[in-house]
Amino acid sequence: MKLTILALVAVVSAFRPQSGPRVPVTTLQQQHALGGWAPAAAAATPNPQQHALGGWAPPSPSQPAIVGGGGTTKMTPLPASVKPGVVTGQALVDLLDHAKENGYAIPAVNCVSSSGINACLEAARNKNAPIIIQFSAGGAQFYAGKGLENLNCDASIAGAVAGAHHVRSLAKRYGIPVILHTDHCAKKLLPWVDGLLDASAEYHRQTGEPLFSSHMIDLSEEPIEENLDICASYLAKMAPMGLMLEMELGITGGEEDGVDNSDVPLEDLYSKPEEIYETYQKLTAVSDRFTVAAAFGNVHGVYKPGNVKLEPDILRRAQEYISKQLGGAGSDKPVKFVFHGGSGSDVSDIQRAISYGVIKMNIDTDTQWSYWEGIKNFETKFHNYLQGQIGNPEGADKPNKKYYDPRECLRAAETNTVARLEQAFSDLLCEDILGR
């Protein structure tokens, strides 16, 4: 097959979510089943009273009911410590506490290119909200260039560091707080995080803060004792620099970035309150700078509607159990939860999970599709202008440079992704957080 503009873009830039407002149909994955997005008239528009009522006001005839929402009677001001740019240390803790107390979750988007990062920053600015930009080991390797060898995770380390500096160079200019994070790190990938901790240590020596905001260590496939011991040892290294740890309990089903959990036993997809409390005890003894990705039926990848059985009440029961063990002291939601694998989930289930303490939700599959869809739609629209450097329907001698310039199709991908992310911000109740 001849190398077309599509193949060129696939090599140059990718993203790991059509013009105008677009809204999801019932579940996040019906988008795929129907080939995109429902008409805007079907949108579930947030009612302005959502925070004042601690949830969603009764729907109007054009507004379907949505369960969940803000956790307080009024949106409190963003803490003064949270400013535009990459957020670390106490400012990061303050931001995540604000999310938990006010009932919203921050979108966390896997990026593999500067183009994808820029789309994230643009969407967050448009929604007046913070965002989490994150890299997987594979995504970071791609960012560095697949032409580099990845011996000892060298390319993955270099790519993540390069991406981090890109974010730091632009986040303040977009005027938004950004959490700079790395995604799943299994036991075999620990050298990758070790290299990133070295980079943060050097950056900390120079600036007084770490290069990144947080890192995820995913040892959910290991025995829980080993999982907790290793996570506690990493938290002890990270917390003094102002880094936060994300850890995983149970297993998120499905497949992502080469990790396939499609055939795990069903019981492993649901965490137990006792395990979450054991985690809370173990890590709190080291530092309070951690989040927990508990399993409550969530899965990675693309699934038909109805094939994913979320149980958000697992999170509620865990919060109640831990609060009781703590004698009722402190927050009624002591744990900051993270939501992985939202594909195929009802928005109502997602928002229930937020009301139970989810402060971050990962987005990858849908943004991969939206980035590609933007390119696909561009090629379809201008197909007859992309078959050669010269010659198109306007004449045999007409040049096509303005169509095959990679910036054109990449911008189409970015615009489509921005629209998808804006819907994600709305679904996660993460809008107008910055108070301006």
Side-chain angles (χ1 to χ4, degrees), residues 384-400 403:
N384 292 330
Y385 295 81
L386 296 169
Q387 304 310 303
Q389 288 184 291
I390 303 292
N392 60 48
E394 298 174 24
D397 60 347
K398 295 292 184 180
N400 295 317
Y403 299 101

PDB file of all heavy atoms in Angstrom, residues 384-400 403:
ATOM      1  N   ASN A 384      -9.723  14.275  -2.507  1.00  0.00           N
ATOM      2  CA  ASN A 384      -9.289  14.550  -3.877  1.00  0.00           C
ATOM      3  C   ASN A 384      -8.171  15.588  -3.954  1.00  0.00           C
ATOM      4  O   ASN A 384      -7.625  15.834  -5.030  1.00  0.00           O
ATOM      5  CB  ASN A 384     -10.477  15.005  -4.720  1.00  0.00           C
ATOM      6  CG  ASN A 384     -11.475  13.877  -4.949  1.00  0.00           C
ATOM      7  OD1 ASN A 384     -11.102  12.704  -4.986  1.00  0.00           O
ATOM      8  ND2 ASN A 384     -12.753  14.234  -5.098  1.00  0.00           N
ATOM      9  N   TYR A 385      -7.838  16.185  -2.816  1.00  0.00           N
ATOM     10  CA  TYR A 385      -6.734  17.145  -2.759  1.00  0.00           C
ATOM     11  C   TYR A 385      -5.482  16.526  -2.123  1.00  0.00           C
ATOM     12  O   TYR A 385      -4.475  17.212  -1.945  1.00  0.00           O
ATOM     13  CB  TYR A 385      -7.147  18.371  -1.950  1.00  0.00           C
ATOM     14  CG  TYR A 385      -8.256  19.177  -2.576  1.00  0.00           C
ATOM     15  CD1 TYR A 385      -9.581  18.787  -2.433  1.00  0.00           C
ATOM     16  CD2 TYR A 385      -7.978  20.313  -3.315  1.00  0.00           C
ATOM     17  CE1 TYR A 385     -10.619  19.523  -3.013  1.00  0.00           C
ATOM     18  CE2 TYR A 385      -8.996  21.064  -3.893  1.00  0.00           C
ATOM     19  CZ  TYR A 385     -10.313  20.654  -3.740  1.00  0.00           C
ATOM     20  OH  TYR A 385     -11.337  21.384  -4.311  1.00  0.00           O
ATOM     21  N   LEU A 386      -5.568  15.243  -1.804  1.00  0.00           N
ATOM     22  CA  LEU A 386      -4.483  14.574  -1.086  1.00  0.00           C
ATOM     23  C   LEU A 386      -3.892  13.411  -1.872  1.00  0.00           C
ATOM     24  O   LEU A 386      -3.252  12.526  -1.295  1.00  0.00           O
ATOM     25  CB  LEU A 386      -5.000  14.069   0.274  1.00  0.00           C
ATOM     26  CG  LEU A 386      -5.460  15.150   1.253  1.00  0.00           C
ATOM     27  CD1 LEU A 386      -6.192  14.531   2.447  1.00  0.00           C
ATOM     28  CD2 LEU A 386      -4.271  15.977   1.734  1.00  0.00           C
ATOM     29  N   GLN A 387      -4.110  13.397  -3.169  1.00  0.00           N
ATOM     30  CA  GLN A 387      -3.647  12.275  -3.985  1.00  0.00           C
ATOM     31  C   GLN A 387      -2.350  12.566  -4.723  1.00  0.00           C
ATOM     32  O   GLN A 387      -1.802  11.701  -5.393  1.00  0.00           O
ATOM     33  CB  GLN A 387      -4.742  11.867  -4.975  1.00  0.00           C
ATOM     34  CG  GLN A 387      -6.064  11.519  -4.318  1.00  0.00           C
ATOM     35  CD  GLN A 387      -5.891  10.536  -3.170  1.00  0.00           C
ATOM     36  OE1 GLN A 387      -5.341   9.436  -3.361  1.00  0.00           O
ATOM     37  NE2 GLN A 387      -6.344  10.912  -1.983  1.00  0.00           N
ATOM     38  N   GLY A 388      -1.865  13.794  -4.608  1.00  0.00           N
ATOM     39  CA  GLY A 388      -0.608  14.165  -5.238  1.00  0.00           C
ATOM     40  C   GLY A 388      -0.268  15.597  -4.872  1.00  0.00           C
ATOM     41  O   GLY A 388      -1.111  16.346  -4.370  1.00  0.00           O
ATOM     42  N   GLN A 389       0.964  15.977  -5.110  1.00  0.00           N
ATOM     43  CA  GLN A 389       1.363  17.341  -4.794  1.00  0.00           C
ATOM     44  C   GLN A 389       0.697  18.362  -5.714  1.00  0.00           C
ATOM     45  O   GLN A 389       0.415  19.497  -5.299  1.00  0.00           O
ATOM     46  CB  GLN A 389       2.889  17.477  -4.878  1.00  0.00           C
ATOM     47  CG  GLN A 389       3.629  16.789  -3.745  1.00  0.00           C
ATOM     48  CD  GLN A 389       5.121  17.040  -3.819  1.00  0.00           C
ATOM     49  OE1 GLN A 389       5.816  16.559  -4.712  1.00  0.00           O
ATOM     50  NE2 GLN A 389       5.620  17.823  -2.878  1.00  0.00           N
ATOM     51  N   ILE A 390       0.428  17.962  -6.947  1.00  0.00           N
ATOM     52  CA  ILE A 390      -0.187  18.840  -7.943  1.00  0.00           C
ATOM     53  C   ILE A 390      -1.411  18.132  -8.516  1.00  0.00           C
ATOM     54  O   ILE A 390      -1.399  16.927  -8.762  1.00  0.00           O
ATOM     55  CB  ILE A 390       0.787  19.166  -9.092  1.00  0.00           C
ATOM     56  CG1 ILE A 390       2.063  19.808  -8.547  1.00  0.00           C
ATOM     57  CG2 ILE A 390       0.129  20.080 -10.133  1.00  0.00           C
ATOM     58  CD1 ILE A 390       1.873  21.181  -7.973  1.00  0.00           C
ATOM     59  N   GLY A 391      -2.471  18.894  -8.726  1.00  0.00           N
ATOM     60  CA  GLY A 391      -3.663  18.364  -9.389  1.00  0.00           C
ATOM     61  C   GLY A 391      -4.765  18.020  -8.423  1.00  0.00           C
ATOM     62  O   GLY A 391      -4.586  17.210  -7.513  1.00  0.00           O
ATOM     63  N   ASN A 392      -5.920  18.688  -8.621  1.00  0.00           N
ATOM     64  CA  ASN A 392      -7.095  18.434  -7.786  1.00  0.00           C
ATOM     65  C   ASN A 392      -8.332  18.823  -8.569  1.00  0.00           C
ATOM     66  O   ASN A 392      -8.226  19.227  -9.744  1.00  0.00           O
ATOM     67  CB  ASN A 392      -6.975  19.206  -6.463  1.00  0.00           C
ATOM     68  CG  ASN A 392      -6.862  20.704  -6.637  1.00  0.00           C
ATOM     69  OD1 ASN A 392      -7.636  21.315  -7.378  1.00  0.00           O
ATOM     70  ND2 ASN A 392      -5.883  21.316  -5.960  1.00  0.00           N
ATOM     71  N   PRO A 393      -9.508  18.713  -8.016  1.00  0.00           N
ATOM     72  CA  PRO A 393     -10.729  19.030  -8.773  1.00  0.00           C
ATOM     73  C   PRO A 393     -10.767  20.448  -9.340  1.00  0.00           C
ATOM     74  O   PRO A 393     -11.552  20.728 -10.257  1.00  0.00           O
ATOM     75  CB  PRO A 393     -11.843  18.819  -7.736  1.00  0.00           C
ATOM     76  CG  PRO A 393     -11.298  17.777  -6.824  1.00  0.00           C
ATOM     77  CD  PRO A 393      -9.845  18.114  -6.704  1.00  0.00           C
ATOM     78  N   GLU A 394      -9.931  21.346  -8.841  1.00  0.00           N
ATOM     79  CA  GLU A 394      -9.928  22.723  -9.333  1.00  0.00           C
ATOM     80  C   GLU A 394      -9.030  22.895 -10.553  1.00  0.00           C
ATOM     81  O   GLU A 394      -9.036  23.962 -11.184  1.00  0.00           O
ATOM     82  CB  GLU A 394      -9.470  23.666  -8.221  1.00  0.00           C
ATOM     83  CG  GLU A 394     -10.393  23.671  -7.013  1.00  0.00           C
ATOM     84  CD  GLU A 394      -9.842  24.496  -5.874  1.00  0.00           C
ATOM     85  OE1 GLU A 394      -9.024  25.407  -6.146  1.00  0.00           O
ATOM     86  OE2 GLU A 394     -10.210  24.228  -4.721  1.00  0.00           O
ATOM     87  N   GLY A 395      -8.251  21.858 -10.872  1.00  0.00           N
ATOM     88  CA  GLY A 395      -7.398  21.949 -12.053  1.00  0.00           C
ATOM     89  C   GLY A 395      -6.206  21.023 -11.952  1.00  0.00           C
ATOM     90  O   GLY A 395      -5.708  20.727 -10.854  1.00  0.00           O
ATOM     91  N   ALA A 396      -5.717  20.572 -13.112  1.00  0.00           N
ATOM     92  CA  ALA A 396      -4.604  19.619 -13.138  1.00  0.00           C
ATOM     93  C   ALA A 396      -3.297  20.236 -12.672  1.00  0.00           C
ATOM     94  O   ALA A 396      -2.369  19.508 -12.294  1.00  0.00           O
ATOM     95  CB  ALA A 396      -4.443  19.056 -14.552  1.00  0.00           C
ATOM     96  N   ASP A 397      -3.192  21.573 -12.697  1.00  0.00           N
ATOM     97  CA  ASP A 397      -1.951  22.224 -12.303  1.00  0.00           C
ATOM     98  C   ASP A 397      -2.061  22.921 -10.947  1.00  0.00           C
ATOM     99  O   ASP A 397      -1.183  23.688 -10.570  1.00  0.00           O
ATOM    100  CB  ASP A 397      -1.526  23.231 -13.362  1.00  0.00           C
ATOM    101  CG  ASP A 397      -2.576  24.331 -13.589  1.00  0.00           C
ATOM    102  OD1 ASP A 397      -3.715  24.152 -13.093  1.00  0.00           O
ATOM    103  OD2 ASP A 397      -2.258  25.332 -14.254  1.00  0.00           O
ATOM    104  N   LYS A 398      -3.142  22.664 -10.231  1.00  0.00           N
ATOM    105  CA  LYS A 398      -3.349  23.313  -8.940  1.00  0.00           C
ATOM    106  C   LYS A 398      -2.550  22.604  -7.840  1.00  0.00           C
ATOM    107  O   LYS A 398      -2.610  21.380  -7.716  1.00  0.00           O
ATOM    108  CB  LYS A 398      -4.834  23.306  -8.560  1.00  0.00           C
ATOM    109  CG  LYS A 398      -5.706  24.129  -9.480  1.00  0.00           C
ATOM    110  CD  LYS A 398      -5.412  25.607  -9.342  1.00  0.00           C
ATOM    111  CE  LYS A 398      -6.361  26.454 -10.188  1.00  0.00           C
ATOM    112  NZ  LYS A 398      -6.082  27.893 -10.045  1.00  0.00           N
ATOM    113  N   PRO A 399      -1.804  23.346  -7.020  1.00  0.00           N
ATOM    114  CA  PRO A 399      -1.011  22.718  -5.943  1.00  0.00           C
ATOM    115  C   PRO A 399      -1.887  22.331  -4.748  1.00  0.00           C
ATOM    116  O   PRO A 399      -2.924  22.939  -4.492  1.00  0.00           O
ATOM    117  CB  PRO A 399      -0.028  23.819  -5.562  1.00  0.00           C
ATOM    118  CG  PRO A 399      -0.749  25.091  -5.887  1.00  0.00           C
ATOM    119  CD  PRO A 399      -1.579  24.794  -7.110  1.00  0.00           C
ATOM    120  N   ASN A 400      -1.426  21.330  -4.011  1.00  0.00           N
ATOM    121  CA  ASN A 400      -2.175  20.816  -2.858  1.00  0.00           C
ATOM    122  C   ASN A 400      -1.439  21.004  -1.534  1.00  0.00           C
ATOM    123  O   ASN A 400      -1.819  20.414  -0.529  1.00  0.00           O
ATOM    124  CB  ASN A 400      -2.466  19.321  -3.057  1.00  0.00           C
ATOM    125  CG  ASN A 400      -3.384  19.070  -4.229  1.00  0.00           C
ATOM    126  OD1 ASN A 400      -4.376  19.774  -4.415  1.00  0.00           O
ATOM    127  ND2 ASN A 400      -3.036  18.075  -5.051  1.00  0.00           N
ATOM    128  N   TYR A 403      -3.116  21.454   1.774  1.00  0.00           N
ATOM    129  CA  TYR A 403      -3.904  20.333   2.280  1.00  0.00           C
ATOM    130  C   TYR A 403      -3.024  19.249   2.883  1.00  0.00           C
ATOM    131  O   TYR A 403      -3.375  18.651   3.905  1.00  0.00           O
ATOM    132  CB  TYR A 403      -4.763  19.738   1.157  1.00  0.00           C
ATOM    133  CG  TYR A 403      -5.750  20.722   0.582  1.00  0.00           C
ATOM    134  CD1 TYR A 403      -5.493  21.370  -0.632  1.00  0.00           C
ATOM    135  CD2 TYR A 403      -6.921  21.033   1.257  1.00  0.00           C
ATOM    136  CE1 TYR A 403      -6.388  22.290  -1.165  1.00  0.00           C
ATOM    137  CE2 TYR A 403      -7.828  21.952   0.738  1.00  0.00           C
ATOM    138  CZ  TYR A 403      -7.557  22.578  -0.468  1.00  0.00           C
ATOM    139  OH  TYR A 403      -8.442  23.493  -0.968  1.00  0.00           O
TER     140      TYR A 403
END
